Amino acid sequence: MSSVKPDYVRRLDLRHGRIEMTHGAGGLASAQLIEEIFSRHFTNQWLDEGHDGAVLPSLEKPIAVSCDAHVISPLFFPGGDIGRLAICGTVNDVAMCGAKPLYIAASFILEEGFELSKLDQIVQSMANAAKEANVAIVTGDTKVVEKGHGDGIYISTTGIGEKLTDFPISGRNAQPGDVVIISGSMGDHGTAILSKRENMSFLTEIESDTAPLNGLIKSVLNVTPDVHVLRDPTRGGLAATLNEIAHQSGVGIFLHEEKIPVKPAVAAACEFLGLDPLFVANEGKVIVICRKEESLKVLQAMKSDPHGQEACIIGEVTAENAGFVEMETLLGGRRSVDWLNGEQLPRIC
């Protein structure tokens, strides 16, 4: 994300100004947008070089890379915004590889007419989230599309990190006898998005759980480096993520409904809306699958982190019914927890 410092006639009007097509044309207007918004918030030793890319230090261990695109609606929601989501989502995807996230590249597609005040707020939110996660935004790109050809702003990110453990961590590694642990309550993010989108209010405001989990993951790997599976239950929620793991590993997964934490406000909202919180997205939770004999160490490590204080064991991996997820219900019955054909809630990340 290169920048220059010419003498401009006037600075950007961050209160009343809007994105214009000239901001994406590569001229002085583009340079001004980069200098006064992106470079101002994202400043670091690599970005400040002003190159179109970044030359990064060599890493000693294998490199983990993940990319993501963010098209959420609405852009601002209780507990976060598209900027915080973009950083946390990418940080978490790298961390789920058993790696320490280090660097992020970010690309922006801006719609003509988008308010500069909102862009500045989003970019600042990204910078704050990057600082919280201790990662650097080292390069990026900006494009502008005509009014009516976008939705205000889309953000694409790529994360780079370094492996923390030599053990393989994969959705293919769940083994019979393992236990399934989650770091906290289910369905917070998707329910917060829907309540904001539909202007619904409940007795208690529901906030998104959007948060970087790399610190929590590092704590887990410090005590148990050979964890079998790490996965964040984002789109499709807990149910879709566990079905994917069961399919990849060729195992069955058995859950206990009474042990799965769901906040009362989220449960009430889902009941009112006809949603199942097990299928609702999360953006600050992790599923850990490990050997039973190591589960207490993992739980203690998770509970020591602010984002894992509600961590609990919710099920186990079995050799029965390979590829399927089942659950013991609150009434003592047993039911299948299958895939959905589509999303309960579109555009939630």
Side-chain angles (χ1 to χ4, degrees):
M1 188 179 290
S2 60
S3 63
V4 294
K5 296 182 178 180
D7 294 326
Y8 296 110
V9 175
R10 62 184 181 186
R11 295 182 65 83
L12 292 175
D13 184 353
L14 296 182
R15 178 175 295 183
H16 303 104
R18 294 177 179 270
I19 289 292
E20 301 174 2
M21 292 303 299
T22 54
H23 287 128
L28 290 179
S30 296
Q32 185 179 17
L33 182 72
I34 291 170
E35 183 69 24
E36 295 186 28
I37 293 184
F38 294 103
S39 295
R40 178 167 60 91
H41 290 300
F42 292 165
T43 180
N44 57 63
Q45 67 182 89
W46 299 284
L47 194 76
D48 293 349
E49 289 290 330
H51 295 308
D52 284 335
V55 179
L56 304 173
S58 59
L59 302 178
E60 296 181 359
K61 294 185 177 181
I63 297 171
V65 180
S66 181
C67 63
D68 207 348
H70 311 275
V71 297
I72 192 168
S73 176
L75 300 176
F76 300 88
F77 48 85
D81 56 45
I82 189 173
R84 178 172 176 80
L85 179 67
I87 297 300
C88 293
T90 302
V91 163
N92 293 345
D93 286 345
V94 173
M96 298 306 146
C97 298
K100 177 183 178 181
L102 296 169
Y103 310 110
I104 288 181
S107 295
F108 301 80
I109 299 177
L110 307 175
E111 184 183 16
E112 180 186 16
F114 188 63
E115 299 97 321
L116 291 179
S117 60
K118 291 184 178 179
L119 176 61
D120 189 63
Q121 184 178 346
I122 289 167
V123 173
Q124 182 173 12
S125 181
M126 292 179 70
N128 291 341
K131 183 178 180 180
E132 182 181 346
N134 196 27
V135 297
I137 302 169
V138 296
T139 188
D141 188 42
T142 304
K143 295 293 188 295
V144 178
V145 297
E146 296 85 352
K147 189 173 182 61
H149 288 251
D151 193 18
I153 180 173
Y154 299 140
I155 303 175
S156 177
T157 47
T158 297
I160 300 171
E162 184 177 34
K163 282 276 286 180
L164 289 170
T165 173
D166 294 329
F167 292 93
I169 296 175
S170 168
R172 299 179 181 275
N173 288 345
Q175 300 174 14
D178 287 351
V179 297
V180 180
I181 305 172
I182 56 174
S183 60
S185 58
M186 295 288 98
D188 295 358
H189 176 72
T191 310
I193 295 301
L194 185 61
S195 63
K196 180 68 173 179
R197 186 183 296 173
E198 302 299 334
N199 292 317
M200 294 183 296
S201 60
F202 302 94
L203 293 178
T204 302
E205 183 176 55
I206 300 171
E207 291 192 356
S208 169
D209 57 350
T210 304
L213 299 176
N214 48 323
L216 185 154
I217 298 303
K218 183 178 180 181
S219 296
V220 169
L221 295 178
N222 281 342
V223 299
T224 311
D226 57 342
V227 163
H228 291 162
V229 182
L230 295 170
R231 192 68 61 84
D232 51 341
T234 52
R235 283 180 298 178
L238 177 70
T241 307
L242 289 179
N243 269 282
E244 183 179 359
I245 294 169
H247 176 75
Q248 290 179 336
S249 293
V251 296
I253 295 178
F254 189 69
L255 305 175
H256 305 278
E257 187 175 13
E258 66 176 359
K259 296 182 179 180
I260 300 174
V262 179
K263 292 177 180 176
V266 172
C270 287
E271 184 176 2
F272 176 76
L273 297 167
L275 302 176
D276 185 338
L278 299 189
F279 292 88
V280 177
N282 313 272
E283 288 292 345
K285 301 298 190 308
V286 58
I287 298 168
V288 180
I289 298 180
C290 64
R291 285 191 288 270
K292 184 177 181 179
E293 54 267 29
E294 296 181 330
S295 59
L296 290 181
K297 291 191 299 182
V298 171
L299 275 174
Q300 290 174 356
M302 295 174 73
K303 288 178 178 292
S304 69
D305 187 275
H307 301 305
Q309 293 178 355
E310 298 178 334
C312 57
I313 297 173
I314 61 168
E316 53 272 349
V317 179
T318 72
E320 302 174 356
N321 301 315
F324 293 92
V325 179
E326 295 182 298
M327 183 169 69
E328 180 185 29
T329 69
L330 294 175
L331 298 177
R334 185 169 178 148
R335 75 173 179 90
S336 175
V337 181
D338 206 353
W339 301 81
L340 291 179
N341 287 329
E343 291 183 86
Q344 288 190 116
L345 305 174
R347 295 190 59 189
I348 45 76
C349 63

